[in-house]
Amino acid sequence: MVKLHGNPLSNCTRRVVCVLHEKQIDFEWVTVDYVRDAHKSSEYIAKHPFGQIPYLEDDGFIVYGNTPSPPPTRAICQYLAAKYAGQGTDLYPAPGDWEGLALLQQGISIEQSNFDPFVSKIFYEKVFKARRNIGSGHADEARVAEYLAGLESKLKAYETILSTQKYLTGDKISLGDLFHLPYATTIETLGLDQVFAKYPAFYSWIKGMQERESWKKANAGVAIDDSGVAYLKQ
Amino acid sequence: MVKLHGNPLSNCTRRVVCVLHEKQIDFEWVTVDYVRDAHKSSEYIAKHPFGQIPYLEDDGFIVYGNTPSPPPTRAICQYLAAKYAGQGTDLYPAPGDWEGLALLQQGISIEQSNFDPFVSKIFYEKVFKARRNIGSGHADEARVAEYLAGLESKLKAYETILSTQKYLTGDKISLGDLFHLPYATTIETLGLDQVFAKYPAFYSWIKGMQERESWKKANAGVAIDDSGVAYLKQ
């Protein structure tokens, strides 16, 4: 049985949940109360030495993601996509398809280098600081502006790519596409999606991604309030 | 023929060169004059839409890495390790070895999440700003101190892992281990290796990595001056 030790409030956890649904893998939730730092307990750290969420257990075998930031949950999602190749959405190249493997890794790399470093830092400033009462609890707006400018410089390259093909690495969806979903959605709830809307091919692609059933399921039970803070619906 | 379009001054390029030597892959250098922004030319961007170095060409097939920062060159190195599995150091799991794949990705993820985000930003402050004359050209020492503190919090977890096993994900070297080399070496040249030396298992591991022939070859022809700036030996 696949068990996911994480929290539905966490962007990184929801990224794995999305892939679990894409792959039609039944799984059991083990909720880690990370708001109360349960991921820093010695019991948790014995499983994941960096004390981050989530980690995955598959019949006793443990694999963990690393976050923040950026590259979260890559190991977990690739493991799931490779091992469960025969079911759900095809998200991993066949053995011997080296070019497919290169394009998979390239797509993941695009998200991690050119999207996550900006959006996760905006999230930190606008949401995490308030949630954890870091500093004054207020965003450093100069830093937010710096990250938004950095993001825009990358969205131009996304626009070039997505103007000529349906997904980031070709005409077939890949893990790299799916990985954009958590932070793209959070950024929108912060009212920053006017930046996305300036790039029509990018915008249409991310909107299409958000319509996937897997993503809707990953968000079921989670709501996001006006200030962008996710919480569990009662 | 494998052609590497990059620059030996670049940490990310040297990471790929190290893997090329580990895999005993003959390759041709195509030097991109990135100090003069050759990677921002329209000719280069037609190959790599994000205008970053390096990219790899293998009999016409192109795969690019994304940098900065963090996760550079992951796509390129995994492609090389998988396609050239039959030669050089064994760096990629056999088809069907899902746990090996998970551990490979986990090791890569450790470097990218818990090492690169700190050391690459220290490099940016201490080396890149001076090289590119950004701002005053001087490091923001408050930020450097913040990144060093962040790095130390992660080195504790490295120490836990490396106290009981030889490499990051077990007793066998992996790409994740090798990926630490460029920035670890740069950090040392900046006189910051006293931070590493506080963690003896980590320190002994990274020192052992630096002794690998592949890494020595990747640095042949490149020297680093007192301020940490790499240059080509004449």
Side-chain angles (χ1 to χ4, degrees), chain A residues 9-15 34 67-73 111-112 115-125 127-128 131 151 178-190 192-193 196 202 206 210 215 219 224:
Chain A
L9 296 184
S10 133
N11 277 320
C12 297
T13 302
R14 280 184 287 152
R15 189 178 282 115
Y34 85 126
T67 172
S69 175
T73 57
E111 192 272 333
Q112 289 173 336
F115 192 74
D116 188 297
F118 305 104
V119 292
S120 66
K121 285 186 195 126
I122 294 169
F123 174 80
Y124 177 83
E125 290 293 333
V127 178
F128 201 79
R131 187 191 289 171
L151 177 62
L178 293 171
F179 285 1
H180 289 74
L181 278 166
Y183 278 118
T185 305
T186 302
I187 288 291
E188 288 202 327
T189 64
L190 294 172
L192 298 173
D193 55 330
F196 294 171
F202 173 89
I206 198 72
Q210 287 172 320
W215 183 238
N219 285 289
I224 299 180

Side-chain angles (χ1 to χ4, degrees), chain A residues 49-50 52 61-72 74-75 78-79 82-83 92 95 98-99 101-103 105-106 108-110 112-114 117 121 143 146 154 157-158 160-161, chain B residues 49-50 52 61-72 74-75 78-79 82-83 92 95 98-99 101-103 105-106 108-110 112-114 117 121 143 146 154 157-158 160-161:
Chain A
F50 289 91
Q52 298 156 335
F61 173 70
I62 286 174
V63 55
Y64 52 81
N66 285 284
T67 172
S69 175
R74 169 180 59 260
Q78 290 196 53
Y79 168 75
K83 180 172 176 183
Y92 208 82
W98 316 126
E99 298 193 357
L101 178 72
L103 292 175
Q105 303 299 343
Q106 184 176 292
I108 294 173
S109 154
I110 290 172
Q112 289 173 336
S113 291
N114 297 304
K121 285 186 195 126
R143 286 201 180 191
E146 182 189 317
K154 303 303 181 185
Y158 276 88
T160 303
I161 295 170
Chain B
F50 289 92
Q52 298 156 336
F61 174 70
I62 286 173
V63 54
Y64 53 80
N66 285 283
T67 171
S69 177
R74 171 181 56 258
Q78 291 196 51
Y79 167 76
K83 179 171 176 186
Y92 207 83
W98 315 126
E99 298 193 357
L101 178 72
L103 292 175
Q105 302 301 343
Q106 184 175 292
I108 295 172
S109 154
I110 289 172
Q112 289 173 337
S113 291
N114 297 304
K121 285 184 195 127
R143 286 200 181 190
E146 183 188 315
K154 303 303 181 185
Y158 276 88
T160 303
I161 295 169

Side-chain angles (χ1 to χ4, degrees), chain B:
Chain B
M1 183 69 185
V2 170
K3 289 185 193 174
L4 182 62
H5 299 250
N7 192 299
L9 296 182
S10 135
N11 276 319
C12 298
T13 301
R14 280 185 286 151
R15 189 177 282 117
V16 179
V17 174
C18 177
V19 171
L20 283 163
H21 287 304
E22 286 283 349
K23 296 301 300 171
Q24 300 175 1
I25 298 167
D26 287 331
F27 67 102
E28 190 182 301
W29 263 111
V30 184
T31 301
V32 179
D33 187 359
Y34 85 129
V35 175
R36 289 184 189 79
D37 281 341
H39 55 311
K40 302 298 180 190
S41 70
S42 56
E43 186 190 359
Y44 190 93
I45 283 177
K47 304 291 186 183
H48 188 328
F50 289 92
Q52 298 156 336
I53 61 170
Y55 76 83
L56 186 100
E57 203 180 334
D58 186 3
D59 280 336
F61 174 70
I62 286 173
V63 54
Y64 53 80
N66 285 283
T67 171
S69 177
T73 58
R74 171 181 56 258
I76 296 173
C77 294
Q78 291 196 51
Y79 167 76
L80 293 170
K83 179 171 176 186
Y84 297 92
Q87 63 189 74
T89 309
D90 183 20
L91 294 171
Y92 207 83
D97 178 6
W98 315 126
E99 298 193 357
L101 178 72
L103 292 175
L104 169 75
Q105 302 301 343
Q106 184 175 292
I108 295 172
S109 154
I110 289 172
E111 192 271 333
Q112 289 173 337
S113 291
N114 297 304
F115 192 73
D116 188 296
F118 305 105
V119 291
S120 67
K121 285 184 195 127
I122 294 169
F123 175 81
Y124 177 82
E125 290 293 333
K126 304 280 269 188
V127 177
F128 201 79
K129 272 183 159 180
R131 186 190 289 168
R132 289 297 183 111
N133 204 20
I134 294 170
S136 62
H138 295 299
D140 177 337
E141 292 295 343
R143 286 200 181 190
V144 172
E146 183 188 315
Y147 304 142
L148 276 174
L151 177 63
E152 279 222 50
S153 74
K154 303 303 181 185
L155 291 181
K156 288 172 193 160
Y158 276 88
E159 190 66 13
T160 303
I161 295 169
L162 293 164
S163 295
T164 59
Q165 61 194 40
K166 200 169 169 195
Y167 296 106
L168 267 187
T169 48
D171 289 325
K172 202 172 144 293
I173 196 167
S174 79
L175 286 175
D177 299 287
L178 293 172
F179 285 1
H180 289 74
L181 279 166
Y183 279 117
T185 304
T186 302
I187 288 291
E188 289 202 327
T189 64
L190 294 172
L192 299 173
D193 55 331
Q194 78 278 11
V195 176
F196 293 172
K198 288 194 216 168
Y199 301 92
F202 172 88
Y203 198 56
S204 150
W205 163 79
I206 198 73
K207 286 284 157 201
M209 298 296 299
Q210 287 172 320
E211 289 303 310
R212 293 185 78 84
E213 283 306 308
S214 61
W215 183 238
K216 291 180 184 167
K217 286 184 189 167
N219 285 288
V222 180
I224 299 179
D225 70 17
D226 291 345
S227 61
V229 177
Y231 62 93
L232 281 174
K233 283 182 216 153
Q234 297 304 319

